[in-house]
């Protein structure tokens, strides 16, 4: 959800500039900075932003620069300032106080300084409106380019998980026979002189081996990864959906690692987890 858009227009000795910046956020947090002359347009501009920007911490800065002969700003009422200053000086002399800040004190009195607001007209607003739309367009183009880069990276991460998964598929069928062999060897070496119920022993072995079976996890993991790629290629906004799918992928990877009972498979599981963490970080940038 990071993005940046800038547009400026020169019109009749006035320069209109609009800058839009955004950072990651789960919701739309819009901070709009615009001149007072256009304060009545704030709601309109906010609505424009909310239609095109679904999420993110967004700052929109609008600046209007006029030529020197058109500049308006603060005006000082000299006569009133002198009157306040004289009265303060007289009181100060009577009290014998420090006279170093009398001018500053006089400037803070009411009506000494007045501000003239910049005037706006329909022509200026029309130009500013078009400048704003151009900045918004540039902002969306920037985010589209960022989105293409993210799309490639996310697809690569899923392919890396599937690459680890392919190695697990090779090792998984070999694991159960190895477990059986180790159990049989243990029984032969340690229980040869003990009378045991063979039927009960076989039941326990079947139960134990069934607990180690990761067939279902393998099927679901492959299905979730395929669904992630399918959703990633969709045209609709899918950031939250991809987040939910990544949670399911993580659940299957964790279960597979817990049930693996095999050093090589567990190493592959660690590799999957690393790729999944990178996916989750990147999904913070996806709408």
């Amino acid at each position: 959800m990071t993005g940046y858009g800038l547009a400026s227009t020169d019109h009749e000795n006035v320069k209109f500039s609009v800058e839009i910046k955004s950072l990651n956020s789960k919701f739309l947090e819009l901070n709009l900075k615009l001149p007072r002359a256009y304060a009545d347009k704030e709601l309109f501009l906010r609505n424009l932003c909310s239609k095109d920007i679904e999420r993110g911490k967004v700052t929109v800065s609008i600046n209007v620069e006029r030529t020197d002969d058109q500049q308006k700003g603060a005006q000082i009422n000299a006569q009133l300032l002198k009157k306040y200053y004289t009265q303060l000086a007289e009181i100060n002399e009577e009290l014998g106080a420090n006279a170093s800040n009398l001018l500053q004190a006089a400037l803070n009195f009411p009506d000494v300084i007045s501000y003239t607001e910049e005037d706006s007209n329909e022509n200026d607003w029309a130009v500013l409106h078009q400048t704003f739309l151009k900045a918004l367009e540039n902002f969306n183009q920037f985010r589209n380019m960022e989105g293409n880069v993210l799309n490639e990276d996310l697809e690569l991460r899923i392919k890396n998980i599937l690459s680890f998964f392919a190695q697990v598929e090779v090792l998984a069928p070999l694991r159960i026979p190895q477990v059986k062999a180790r159990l049989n060897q243990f029984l032969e070496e340690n229980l040869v002189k003990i009378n045991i119920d063979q039927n009960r022993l076989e039941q326990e072995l079947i139960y134990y081996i069934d607990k180690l079976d990761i067939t279902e996890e393998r099927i679901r993991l492959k299905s979730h990864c395929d669904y992630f790629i399918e959703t990633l290629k969709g045209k609709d906004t899918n950031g939250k959906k991809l987040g939910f799918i990544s949670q399911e992928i993580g659940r299957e990877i964790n279960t597979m690692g817990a049930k693996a009972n095999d050093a090589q498979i567990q190493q592959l599981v660690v590799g999957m987890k690393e790729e999944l963490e990178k996916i989750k970080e990147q999904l913070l940038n996806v709408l």
Side-chain angles (χ1 to χ4, degrees), residues 221-285:
L221 177 59
K222 179 63 166 60
S223 176
H224 293 329
C225 288
D226 291 341
Y227 188 41
F228 189 99
I229 294 295
E230 178 185 338
T231 304
L232 190 62
K233 293 180 178 179
K235 295 182 180 180
D236 298 330
T237 300
N238 50 28
K240 291 183 179 179
K241 189 175 183 179
L242 291 173
F244 295 144
I245 299 172
S246 67
Q247 290 178 8
E248 294 301 318
I249 291 175
R251 187 173 289 111
E252 301 305 331
I253 291 175
N254 289 333
T255 305
M256 188 183 299
K259 295 171 67 174
N261 197 31
D262 182 275
Q264 288 180 286
I265 292 179
Q266 287 173 333
Q267 289 176 0
L268 295 172
V269 165
V270 171
M272 293 183 195
K273 288 182 177 181
E274 290 178 346
E275 295 298 322
L276 184 61
E277 284 303 309
K278 294 174 183 177
I279 288 174
K280 290 180 178 179
E281 290 177 5
Q282 293 287 38
L283 286 180
L284 297 174
N285 295 307

Side-chain angles (χ1 to χ4, degrees), residues 166-182 209 212-214 218 260-262 264-265:
Q167 298 177 62
V168 172
E169 291 281 79
V170 175
L171 296 173
L174 306 176
R175 187 171 52 95
I176 298 302
Q178 292 173 352
V179 172
K180 289 181 178 179
R182 290 200 302 267
I209 291 174
L212 299 179
D213 184 52
I214 58 174
R218 288 156 51 197
N261 197 31
D262 182 275
Q264 288 180 286
I265 292 179

Side-chain angles (χ1 to χ4, degrees), residues 1-3 141-151 285:
M1 289 171 290
T2 56
Q141 287 179 354
F142 182 97
R143 296 219 295 185
N144 285 335
M145 290 187 293
E146 288 288 304
N148 291 332
V149 174
L150 281 175
N151 185 85
N285 295 307

Side-chain angles (χ1 to χ4, degrees), residues 26 28 38 52 65 70 96 110 122-123 180 225 235 252:
K26 292 183 178 180
L28 177 59
Y38 299 94
D52 275 21
E65 298 179 10
Q70 292 179 308
E122 289 302 318
N123 290 334
K180 289 181 178 179
C225 288
K235 295 182 180 180
E252 301 305 331

Side-chain angles (χ1 to χ4, degrees), residues 79-95 102 105-106 109:
Q79 291 183 348
L80 188 59
L81 176 61
K82 291 177 182 178
K83 182 177 180 180
Y84 284 139
Y85 184 85
T86 301
Q87 292 177 356
L88 288 172
E90 292 175 355
I91 295 173
N92 184 79
E93 185 177 354
E94 291 180 9
L95 298 176
L102 292 183
F109 276 100

